[in-house]
């Protein structure tokens, strides 16, 4: 078997598109519609048909921090590399 596919290169310009801050989700906001996150190394994960949240990782099943809500943890959209700001 061949080697793993290398990850996508990280952006080095320090700039994001003008649409990103207006469109992508942050914190505990629902990202199921935007399918993008502003946080560093964040991925939008699906909880159910009505909600998704940006997190670094997600394990399908019950989530104690969400009152034992069941998460599908299907990735929605691309993983965000984020933008470090001073």
């Amino acid at each position: 078997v061949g080697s793993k596919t290398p990850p996508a290169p990280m952006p080095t310009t320090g700039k994001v598109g003008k649409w990103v801050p207006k469109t992508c989700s942050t914190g505990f906001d629902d990202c199921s519609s935007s399918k993008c996150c502003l946080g560093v190394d964040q991925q939008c994960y699906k909880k159910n048909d009505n909600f998704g949240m940006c997190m670094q990782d997600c394990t399908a099943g019950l989530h104690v921090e969400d009152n034992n809500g069941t998460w599908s943890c299907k990735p929605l959209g691309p993983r965000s590399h984020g933008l470090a700001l001073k």
Side-chain angles (χ1 to χ4, degrees):
V1 185
S3 63
K4 283 177 56 174
T5 302
M10 298 270 296
T12 57
T13 62
K15 295 181 181 180
V16 295
K18 290 181 180 180
W19 62 271
V20 173
K22 297 175 188 171
T23 305
C24 295
S25 302
T26 61
F28 298 104
D29 295 338
D30 178 19
C31 62
S32 62
S33 295
S34 69
K35 296 180 177 53
C36 64
C37 303
L38 282 176
V40 175
D41 193 29
Q42 297 283 300
Q43 171 73 51
C44 178
Y45 288 104
K46 180 179 179 178
K47 174 182 181 180
N48 54 37
D49 289 338
N50 302 311
F51 188 77
M53 193 167 77
C54 296
M55 300 185 274
Q56 286 190 330
D57 54 34
C58 187
T59 303
L62 298 178
H63 282 222
V64 176
E65 72 281 358
D66 187 33
N67 294 320
N68 285 324
T70 301
W71 284 70
S72 77
C73 290
K74 176 183 176 186
L76 301 173
R79 176 169 286 279
S80 168
H81 296 295
L83 178 61
L85 301 174
K86 281 185 164 182

